[in-house]
Amino acid sequence: MNQSQSHLGCIKKQNFTHAETQAQKMHEVVGEVVEVGPDVAKFRVGDTVGVGAIVGCCRDCRPCKGDTEQYCNKKIWSYNDVYSDGKPTQGGFAGAMVVHQKFVVKIPDGMEAEQAAPLLCAGVTVYSPLSHFGLKQSGLRGGILGLGGVGHMGVTIAKAMGHHVTVISSSDKKREEALEHLGADDYLVSSDSTRMQEAADSLDYIIDTVPVFHPLEPYLSLLRLDGKLILMGVINTPLQFLSPVVMLGRKTITGSFVGSIKETEEMLEFCKEKGLSSMIEVVKMDYVNEALERLEKNDVRYRFVVDVAGSNLDQ
């Protein structure tokens, strides 16, 4: 066993893995440690742990040395990628995972595995920019654009930080969910010009989770002086905006990408302390194809979590 291998641990009998899109397959895995290498110090056999979207990086670039390995140009995804030895990464479709301890996090005691899995994706994706951009203090006014898997965690985490949260959506369909079930303070329909004008210059930040092309000006107008529009949706079409909308309020358009291992550990402790959870639907492996079809139709509130260990894969 070489130096690299000595830091590896084997996670088998995965309890839960989080499904997102067909292209991404299964990622963010929670399971039990069944074997560790001799130099593994962070974990022991029997620990409940999680693995996020990244299982490798170069360890030598500026992001890696600064504990922001998610921005490493040589990062290795936990799904649909290739390890340094040429073998494919299989995410949660694998019966077991062998992972370097650097990319493993311990699930806090008392946190249910099925709840922890989506936090390793949507939870840290929201927590990371709020932390990095200094937006964790209470009393801020935030907007969540798009109430999906990431958006609903945005509402949950921002409210737990003591923020006044406004959900911004293209229709009235999710008003009740946002206000009654998630505890948002306000709800804006972006096509309602009167309400949008009334809300102008009222938000300190907006987390934009919309993954398709959309104009930015209506949302930039909602920001106060020095407000931040944080992009999280992966969009392959160039976005456009008029520069005076940004210049006259010294506003920032920025982006953020998942989160580091350090931020993931912080986020899990925060969620445990605040008693936060995500809205999920637990399914077995024999339902995966139907789940993926439903994902394409946006027919899930708000995350599928696949019970791998309970799916009798060996039969």
Side-chain angles (χ1 to χ4, degrees), residues 15-287:
N15 294 318
F16 295 96
T17 183
H18 157 222
E20 191 161 282
T21 68
Q22 190 166 5
Q24 292 178 327
K25 304 299 185 186
M26 303 290 188
H27 61 293
E28 285 76 45
V29 174
V30 174
E32 179 184 331
V33 177
V34 297
E35 185 178 347
V36 296
D39 292 328
V40 172
K42 292 177 62 178
F43 308 102
R44 298 179 298 177
V45 171
D47 283 348
T48 300
V49 298
V51 178
I54 299 171
V55 292
C57 63
C58 77
R59 317 281 183 91
D60 194 46
C61 66
R62 181 180 175 186
C64 286
K65 292 181 177 180
D67 288 327
T68 53
E69 63 280 347
Q70 72 270 34
Y71 297 109
C72 173
N73 290 329
K74 296 181 180 179
K75 60 182 168 289
I76 300 174
W77 298 98
S78 60
Y79 52 90
N80 291 353
D81 207 345
V82 179
Y83 289 111
S84 57
D85 62 2
K87 295 181 180 179
T89 62
Q90 301 181 55
F93 277 129
M97 296 183 74
V98 180
V99 189
H100 193 284
Q101 66 176 340
K102 173 178 174 58
F103 304 98
V104 180
V105 294
K106 190 174 187 306
I107 303 304
D109 293 338
M111 181 176 286
E112 296 180 356
E114 63 267 35
Q115 287 291 343
L119 295 179
L120 303 178
C121 176
V124 73
T125 296
V126 171
Y127 183 90
S128 178
L130 291 175
S131 177
H132 175 74
F133 292 116
L135 299 170
K136 292 170 64 177
Q137 69 268 30
S138 63
L140 296 180
R141 298 179 69 91
I144 305 296
L145 178 54
L147 193 62
V150 174
H152 97 282
M153 282 308 306
V155 175
T156 301
I157 289 177
K159 284 294 297 180
M161 290 179 175
H163 298 181
H164 180 284
V165 179
T166 297
V167 171
I168 311 163
S169 186
S170 60
S171 74
D172 240 351
K173 293 180 181 178
K174 297 182 180 180
R175 179 182 294 272
E176 182 178 349
E177 283 185 50
L179 300 177
E180 302 298 328
H181 300 294
L182 294 175
D185 300 285
D186 201 358
Y187 190 94
L188 284 176
V189 177
S190 56
S191 59
D192 186 340
S193 58
T194 300
R195 286 280 287 119
M196 291 288 284
Q197 289 175 6
E198 291 173 350
D201 301 317
S202 66
L203 302 179
D204 295 296
Y205 67 87
I206 296 174
I207 292 178
D208 183 348
T209 71
V210 177
V212 296
F213 175 82
H214 56 286
L216 299 184
E217 281 92 343
Y219 312 110
L220 288 167
S221 69
L222 298 176
L223 294 173
R224 292 171 169 172
L225 175 67
D226 292 326
K228 292 178 174 59
L229 177 63
I230 305 169
L231 302 177
M232 292 186 177
V234 179
I235 304 170
N236 295 321
T237 304
L239 298 177
Q240 299 177 340
F241 63 94
L242 299 176
S243 60
V245 181
V246 174
M247 296 165 57
L248 295 178
R250 202 164 60 190
K251 300 171 184 179
T252 301
I253 300 174
T254 187
S256 182
F257 175 66
V258 292
S260 66
I261 293 297
K262 182 178 180 181
E263 289 171 327
T264 302
E265 291 171 337
E266 291 177 1
M267 177 274 306
L268 287 171
E269 288 301 322
F270 176 81
C271 290
K272 176 187 177 182
E273 176 188 345
K274 299 294 185 178
L276 306 184
S277 61
S278 54
M279 295 177 66
I280 61 173
E281 181 177 339
V282 179
V283 300
K284 300 292 181 66
M285 284 294 286
D286 59 5
Y287 189 78

